[in-house]
Amino acid sequence: MLETKEHFGRRLTTLGRKHQAMANGYTTQLRGDGLIVVKPKRARSARLPIKGFVLALMGFFAFKAFAVVNMGDITYAERVASLRDGTVVEQAGAVIMQIDPVTLALVAAYTEFSQ
């Protein structure tokens, strides 16, 4: 009787773990012998959202190119130069907002496309 009770307790513990694992979702597979097996999905680890980061970076470069096209090269460069004379935060902004090859390529593509 005692052995049966321990066996039942282990089965309950095992079923509790399986139920907890399947709370994140599960998949079913059909084995070669025709038995349908349910397997829990692995918990997703916290990853860096690369797709979102790339889209934000592309948007930032597009914004800079838009600003250069609307202000013109000389005015944009003057405004970035005025940022270099400011506080530490403004100086960091000047470094980030300076015209780089990617921005120049986007501006050239826009001016070529608009003509």
Side-chain angles (χ1 to χ4, degrees):
M1 178 79 178
L2 185 63
E3 182 179 313
T4 307
K5 193 172 185 178
E6 288 176 6
H7 180 67
F8 181 71
R10 283 191 304 238
R11 285 182 55 208
L12 278 180
T13 303
T14 304
L15 284 174
R17 282 191 205 130
K18 285 183 181 179
H19 179 74
Q20 187 68 27
M22 288 187 194
N24 296 327
Y26 56 89
T27 59
T28 56
Q29 292 179 339
L30 182 64
R31 290 192 335 195
D33 60 356
L35 182 65
I36 298 173
V37 179
V38 179
K39 293 187 178 182
K41 288 185 179 179
R42 289 183 158 200
R44 295 184 70 170
S45 61
R47 297 184 314 184
L48 177 67
I50 295 174
K51 188 177 186 181
F53 178 73
V54 169
L55 285 174
L57 194 62
M58 287 172 47
F60 176 70
F61 282 119
F63 169 75
K64 282 178 32 176
F66 178 75
V68 170
V69 167
N70 282 331
M71 286 185 224
D73 295 343
I74 298 170
T75 307
Y76 186 83
E78 288 173 355
R79 290 194 181 193
V80 170
S82 69
L83 283 176
R84 285 191 187 106
D85 298 332
T87 65
V88 175
V89 175
E90 290 174 340
Q91 290 173 1
V95 170
I96 292 170
M97 293 302 289
Q98 67 185 357
I99 298 177
D100 52 22
V102 176
T103 306
L104 284 177
L106 288 172
V107 169
Y110 175 77
T111 54
E112 200 173 291
F113 178 74
S114 64
Q115 290 177 356

